[in-house]
Amino acid sequence: MITPTRPALIEPVVDRAGREALWTGSVIDVDVHAQVPSAETLFPYLAQQWVDWCTERNWKQPQGPLSHYPPNSPRTCRPQWRPADGRTPASDVDLLRRHVLDPWDVDRAILNCYYGIDSIRQPDWHNAMAGAVNDWLIEEWLNKDSRLRASMVLPARDPASMIREIERVGSHPGIVQVLLPVRTDALWGRRMFFPVFEAMAEHGLVAGLHYGGTADGVPSTTGYPSYFIEEYAAEWQAFGSQITSMVAEGLFRVAPDLRVSVLEGGFLWLPAWGWRMNKDWKGLRREVPWLTEPPFDLVRRHFRFSTAPTEAGPTPLLEKAIGWLRSEDLLMFATDYPHAHDDDLAQLLSAMPESMRAKTMAENARSWYRL
């Protein structure tokens, strides 16, 4: 289904012919972004109290989205996917169809809207905005293309409100995941979040751990970085910390059916993390008696990872690294629309055993999200 000798794929697939030259089987894209274009977009989904709150303060949007797609940054938005009329990238379902859904001929694509809800610290406003984003996603995206599924957002600073929002919209047939920012004030494995994850599992929702977020602390383990490259290249540490927390604190003991997707977090760091965790678990497991099996085994059962970005090196080394995962079920294809990681999907597929390619492009996601 692939052309193994194909040269590095630097340009994105932009038409059906390009897609079929690369892969002729099914495709499920587990990470495409939907961006709220303006605060006014959400007004039909907010009580008048919060419309007044926004307009009287001239509030436009959370701080995060202001820097999501800076002009002249091909990394944050591929030039081919940046609206020519100046609109916010990834804010229009018709453009998503033209850029990804039709050329990639996807069976399903999962929308992830990171709007920076967690940066809003007024608790009632925080809750209202999360609900408005979810209602907007359902009305303006899910209801307009049957290929779409979505992650709901939550007021991530308030576990009780998180559960209420899961109960309000978590049973919608188009909602398949809860989007959780990887940078938080408290690690997701802490016990105060156990009821939230139990609610996700009861509703059949996947927990989607995604790049980004707002923490009261510094974004690294020891201080503020000076440059974006430091933050971006080291973000995997936040994913490692969250996974370590979820595993070590016994989350999967109380939510044995919980599934977690790691989105935009990479995956080639996973073998080294798993080996270290397994080694340390042997000597320290009396401290965590509820952890009754090697941590890497638990991760293989409860976690999946999106393919974007792929930290691929030379192909022979990539083949070895994929083998070190010791599972053909862990990876799920993603374009991460509209971002540009310059991932070479042809190289990634070539480095896999043939039996793993169809699983990565669609079947793992179909099973994981019960699509």
Side-chain angles (χ1 to χ4, degrees):
M1 292 184 176
I2 63 169
T3 305
T5 57
R6 180 187 173 87
L9 184 71
I10 302 301
E11 291 300 314
V13 172
V14 293
D15 55 29
R16 186 68 64 88
R19 188 268 207 209
E20 292 180 352
L22 182 65
W23 177 252
T24 58
S26 296
V27 169
I28 294 177
D29 190 337
V30 300
D31 191 17
V32 297
H33 290 283
Q35 188 67 31
V36 177
S38 68
E40 289 78 7
T41 302
L42 299 178
F43 285 178
Y45 309 100
L46 286 168
Q48 187 61 44
Q49 170 190 1
W50 303 114
V51 174
D52 295 342
W53 184 278
C54 294
T55 54
E56 291 171 2
R57 294 163 181 258
N58 197 30
W59 185 87
K60 297 301 182 184
Q61 59 184 337
Q63 285 297 311
L66 289 171
S67 59
H68 279 182
Y69 307 110
N72 303 318
S73 171
R75 174 70 66 190
T76 56
C77 180
R78 290 185 189 277
Q80 301 95 321
W81 291 345
R82 190 178 291 277
D85 57 8
R87 284 179 295 164
T88 304
S91 63
D92 185 289
V93 69
D94 289 331
L95 289 181
L96 178 62
R97 289 193 189 102
R98 196 183 315 160
H99 293 160
V100 173
L101 301 184
D102 293 341
W104 275 100
D105 191 22
V106 301
D107 290 0
R108 296 285 185 272
I110 298 176
L111 290 166
N112 293 312
C113 175
Y114 179 67
Y115 188 51
I117 295 294
D118 50 328
S119 69
I120 300 174
R121 295 174 183 273
Q122 205 272 33
D124 296 323
W125 187 24
H126 186 198
N127 298 347
M129 293 299 284
V133 170
N134 290 329
D135 291 342
W136 171 75
L137 279 170
I138 291 170
E139 181 63 30
E140 301 297 332
W141 295 79
L142 295 184
N143 288 348
K144 293 185 176 177
D145 198 301
S146 62
R147 293 169 291 185
L148 294 176
R149 299 294 183 269
S151 302
M152 61 183 295
V153 300
L154 292 180
R157 295 176 183 273
D158 181 353
S161 295
M162 294 171 78
I163 293 172
R164 282 196 294 272
E165 187 62 11
I166 289 172
E167 292 174 345
R168 191 181 73 86
V169 298
S171 297
H172 187 283
I175 300 293
V176 297
Q177 184 166 251
V178 174
L179 195 67
L180 300 175
V182 73
R183 283 210 306 257
T184 53
D185 294 347
L187 290 166
W188 287 120
R190 298 295 296 272
R191 295 184 183 186
M192 63 181 176
F193 293 119
F194 280 7
V196 178
F197 287 106
E198 288 179 286
M200 291 182 204
E202 288 169 4
H203 284 77
L205 299 171
V206 174
L209 199 60
H210 194 279
Y211 180 93
T214 304
D216 282 341
V218 296
S220 83
T221 56
T222 54
Y224 282 96
S226 300
Y227 303 100
F228 177 68
I229 189 174
E230 295 179 66
E231 179 182 350
Y232 193 71
E235 185 82 349
W236 72 269
Q237 297 175 66
F239 286 95
S241 297
Q242 295 285 11
I243 293 173
T244 304
S245 169
M246 291 174 164
V247 169
E249 302 229 20
L251 172 60
F252 301 103
R253 174 180 56 111
V254 300
D257 297 326
L258 182 66
R259 294 159 284 148
V260 182
S261 292
V262 174
L263 305 167
E264 208 175 323
F267 59 91
L268 289 176
W269 51 268
L270 183 63
W273 173 92
W275 294 339
R276 177 61 184 264
M277 278 293 288
N278 283 2
K279 179 178 76 71
D280 289 342
W281 169 75
K282 291 176 182 176
L284 297 169
R285 57 186 173 186
R286 288 185 181 83
E287 182 187 31
V288 286
W290 47 82
L291 190 54
T292 57
E293 62 183 307
F296 204 174
D297 290 357
L298 203 61
V299 167
R300 290 190 185 94
R301 190 162 67 251
H302 286 279
F303 287 81
R304 297 292 181 267
F305 297 78
S306 73
T307 58
T310 297
E311 314 93 328
T315 299
L317 298 182
L318 181 59
E319 291 174 357
K320 288 185 179 179
I322 290 174
W324 290 337
L325 295 173
R326 295 179 59 197
S327 171
E328 295 189 354
D329 300 332
L330 281 177
L331 303 184
M332 301 185 294
F333 169 72
T335 59
D336 196 16
Y337 173 85
H339 301 301
H341 297 294
D342 292 337
D343 292 338
D344 185 347
L345 183 59
Q347 182 201 16
L348 178 62
L349 292 175
S350 296
M352 295 177 176
E354 185 173 354
S355 56
M356 188 175 178
R357 296 169 189 164
K359 289 184 173 183
T360 299
M361 293 302 294
E363 300 315 315
N364 288 340
R366 197 186 311 279
S367 172
W368 195 242
Y369 289 102
R370 300 169 182 170
L371 301 174

